Amino acid sequence: MCLGDESSRPEMEPATLQSAPGNFSDETIREATLADRQDILDLDTNVYYGLDYLRNNYNDVIRNPQIKAYVYEKKGKVVGFFSARLVDGGQSLLVSSGRLGLDSRGGGMYGRFKKRVFEEWKDSPDLRHVTMTINNYNFESKRERLLRDHRQVLERDITVVECNLQQIRSAVNSRQGSQLQSQLQLLSYDDVNVMMRHQPSQLRHLFPEDRILLQWCPLRIIEVNTKEIYNGKQKILANKPAEPISTTVQPGKNFPVTFMSAGGHYSCKRGQNYDVDVYGSGSDEDLRAHMEWHLLRLAEVGADLDTAVMRVYHTRQVEDIVEKLKKEFSVQISTAIPFRKVFALEMDYVK
């Protein structure tokens, strides 16, 4: 997932916040540590049908100085986990990785957990919003309750593609190159930075909701988010624009790129998960070229693996394109993973 700057922080003694709010004296909330890893993973062994990033990236989360992670203990046993970090230059608190043990759900514990953890940011001067993403499976079952205090700010379709990396590598070795990909270019940090200096109205052909969804992280169109987008793990791919990307914002002119995608990956129980976020309204050939490029990159980053999953986030029909890619790369749409949409929700942060 989108973890921001992953510079390490030193190991420290975990701080206990206090007992849970209300009359729950046997429940305690404290900072998570590396030693909690197995207890947290044992809370639910099939998170996201094997696509949970926490299993293989827990240590990175705990060591990341931008992320605050907590455990909920009941009678000394870990029964919940919660992490969050500031994005949008401190305007938004992004919630991620929250989970409870199967026996601890339905009693209001998660609500108590969030309420207490949110208080940890009460001294953040610019904090205005709490934001989260949720899949269709969970959103539909909790829609009425969630929309009481949240507003929906973004929605994307998800197409999940099962990939056999050995077959992709074999296809790569036998092919002569792709004319489709000759029209693509990787954006540099400076390209992304000038894009993020544009007004949201100059980018609505790419981001109509004035948000960028990047590996389940909804980000506002502001320059400070350049480092969130160009974070070392993402590759930002674009159709070559009709005119070069200027080093300055051109008043009254849209950003010249009309179609782009972002690809990021992480290890999981299914091997490798590779997320492709699609922006803009290119042709079917454009989208095929982008998906093909990301498949080839997936074969590289998963060089020591046999299987992988690619999740494509979009607002258009992509099944026919996957069918065409199937002929060369033997990929297929997954029927084992039920997620078909992702929603971004936001609520006001009340101090």
Side-chain angles (χ1 to χ4, degrees):
M1 288 296 182
C2 180
L3 298 179
D5 182 1
E6 296 184 33
S7 304
S8 251
R9 64 180 168 197
E11 276 291 291
M12 300 178 68
E13 191 69 21
T16 298
L17 306 190
Q18 64 177 43
S19 296
N23 187 24
F24 302 97
S25 58
D26 61 345
E27 299 178 2
T28 302
I29 300 168
R30 63 168 172 82
E31 292 181 356
T33 70
L34 294 175
D36 294 315
R37 179 182 181 276
Q38 196 57 51
D39 286 338
I40 291 166
L41 296 183
D42 288 344
L43 293 173
D44 189 339
T45 58
N46 193 32
V47 177
Y48 305 133
Y49 294 82
L51 298 181
D52 181 27
Y53 80 97
L54 195 63
R55 176 166 295 275
N56 291 72
N57 299 278
Y58 177 83
N59 289 1
D60 291 337
V61 171
I62 298 302
R63 290 176 172 145
N64 190 320
Q66 292 190 353
I67 298 174
K68 292 185 180 182
Y70 301 92
V71 295
Y72 204 120
E73 291 183 322
K74 186 175 180 67
K75 296 181 179 179
K77 178 183 177 182
V78 172
V79 295
F81 175 79
F82 190 95
S83 69
R85 65 187 178 92
L86 294 175
V87 296
D88 298 336
Q91 295 181 44
S92 305
L93 182 64
L94 177 63
V95 175
S96 62
S97 305
R99 62 197 62 188
L100 290 178
L102 298 178
D103 296 336
S104 301
R105 299 174 186 177
M109 183 180 289
Y110 193 67
R112 299 194 296 275
F113 200 177
K114 286 198 303 181
K115 181 178 179 181
R116 180 62 190 90
V117 171
F118 284 175
E119 292 178 5
E120 289 297 289
W121 279 271
K122 64 180 182 297
D123 295 327
S124 301
D126 299 319
L127 183 55
R128 301 290 182 273
H129 317 284
V130 177
T131 184
M132 62 180 289
T133 46
I134 187 170
N135 62 60
N136 58 292
Y137 186 82
N138 290 326
F139 183 55
E140 294 304 329
S141 65
K142 304 171 184 175
R143 176 188 290 268
E144 184 177 349
R145 177 171 59 81
L146 284 168
L147 293 182
R148 288 175 195 160
D149 48 15
H150 292 79
R151 49 192 171 271
Q152 181 181 321
V153 297
L154 184 148
E155 176 182 340
R156 290 288 181 274
D157 293 326
I158 308 174
T159 297
V160 184
V161 182
E162 301 276 3
C163 305
N164 184 310
L165 297 184
Q166 289 184 337
Q167 293 180 353
I168 293 175
R169 285 190 285 268
S170 176
V172 171
N173 292 334
S174 62
R175 75 201 322 254
Q176 300 298 314
S178 171
Q179 187 174 1
L180 287 174
Q181 293 188 46
S182 66
Q183 300 305 310
L184 305 179
Q185 73 174 67
L186 283 170
L187 296 190
S188 67
Y189 179 92
D190 290 339
D191 293 334
V192 175
N193 187 248
V194 74
M195 178 181 76
M196 297 300 286
R197 296 206 312 267
H198 282 70
Q199 293 297 314
S201 60
Q202 296 173 289
L203 293 168
R204 289 203 179 115
H205 59 294
L206 295 170
F207 317 117
E209 301 94 344
D210 298 342
R211 303 286 199 290
I212 300 175
L213 183 68
L214 187 75
Q215 280 200 296
W216 291 68
C217 300
L219 303 169
R220 282 176 159 74
I221 311 295
I222 48 178
E223 185 179 357
V224 71
N225 278 334
T226 299
K227 291 183 179 180
E228 294 283 350
I229 298 168
Y230 209 92
N231 59 21
K233 291 190 174 182
Q234 296 284 338
K235 294 294 184 182
I236 313 300
L237 189 67
N239 283 19
K240 291 180 179 177
E243 56 185 86
I245 298 173
S246 173
T247 57
T248 59
V249 176
Q250 304 297 307
K253 292 185 66 175
N254 287 348
F255 185 64
V257 170
T258 59
F259 189 71
M260 57 184 280
S261 62
H265 60 92
Y266 59 86
S267 299
C268 62
K269 286 176 70 174
R270 287 179 174 266
Q272 192 80 198
N273 177 85
Y274 192 103
D275 288 324
V276 179
D277 291 289
V278 177
Y279 317 101
S281 55
S283 67
D284 284 353
E285 280 201 346
D286 291 331
L287 180 55
R288 178 178 175 177
H290 280 249
M291 290 181 63
E292 183 178 286
W293 189 95
H294 288 293
L295 279 173
L296 301 186
R297 182 178 179 231
L298 173 55
E300 289 183 10
V301 300
D304 57 342
L305 299 170
D306 295 329
T307 62
V309 171
M310 175 181 281
R311 295 186 292 182
V312 184
Y313 303 85
H314 57 90
T315 57
R316 58 191 295 167
Q317 202 271 351
V318 303
E319 284 75 10
D320 290 346
I321 297 169
V322 175
E323 194 63 29
K324 292 176 182 177
L325 292 169
K326 180 179 180 180
K327 295 177 182 178
E328 182 175 5
F329 298 108
S330 300
V331 297
Q332 61 182 2
I333 293 177
S334 174
T335 57
I337 301 172
F339 307 138
R340 295 294 175 261
K341 285 183 180 291
V342 57
F343 301 88
L345 307 179
E346 185 177 87
M347 70 178 188
D348 296 331
Y349 181 81
V350 180
K351 298 186 179 181

